[in-house]
Amino acid sequence: MQKNLILIVLLAIASCSEKSDVIPPPVLPGMQYTDLKEKEVKRGKSQGIDIDKNGSIDFGFMVYHIGDPLSMQDKIRFNAGSNVACNLLVDPNNNSPVLSQNSIISYDNTPPYDWFEVS
């Protein structure tokens, strides 16, 4: 009888526990690192990266040197573009954030930037 009473008390305690409505975080793919093998993007040239190794370029990079005659300065513009299913972190004007070395890039970004599939 005492064993049954202990079992009933344990079941009652277990059934009284609060149920949590916490939504689990989304499952994200693991980080993938790609060795760029010392690639450089030179003026007027482009470089492409095939991340998924399927033979097509997923990300492309280009450097433009632009002469500004009013300020008598040469400016450098760096462009990056992505293909379908390759996301870039951009704002509504299609600009990427400038990050410092060793910055953490998170899935839950801060406004106004968002992960955009084709840029």
Side-chain angles (χ1 to χ4, degrees):
M1 179 74 174
Q2 190 176 8
K3 290 181 184 179
N4 289 339
L5 182 61
I6 292 172
L7 181 60
I8 291 172
V9 170
L10 288 176
L11 287 174
I13 292 171
S15 66
C16 292
S17 65
E18 269 187 50
K19 293 189 178 183
S20 175
D21 291 336
V22 175
I23 298 172
V27 177
L28 302 174
M31 181 64 72
Q32 178 180 346
Y33 295 92
T34 301
D35 182 6
L36 299 179
K37 297 179 177 66
E38 303 293 325
K39 286 188 177 184
E40 292 181 28
V41 183
K42 298 184 180 187
R43 177 176 40 178
K45 303 288 183 183
S46 63
Q47 283 284 354
I49 301 173
D50 179 12
I51 299 291
D52 55 10
K53 309 289 188 252
N54 68 353
S56 66
I57 301 298
D58 299 308
F59 291 100
F61 301 91
M62 183 107 184
V63 176
Y64 296 101
H65 285 248
I66 302 167
D68 184 353
L70 296 177
S71 65
M72 299 180 67
Q73 290 182 334
D74 286 340
K75 298 181 180 180
I76 300 173
R77 179 180 173 135
F78 299 93
N79 285 3
S82 64
N83 205 345
V84 177
C86 298
N87 299 26
L88 287 176
L89 188 59
V90 295
D91 68 10
N93 295 322
N94 214 23
N95 295 315
S96 294
V98 176
L99 303 172
S100 59
Q101 186 175 0
N102 297 322
S103 292
I104 295 173
I105 303 171
S106 68
Y107 179 76
D108 298 326
N109 52 319
T110 56
Y113 299 101
D114 197 10
W115 290 101
F116 192 68
E117 185 169 352
V118 178
S119 182

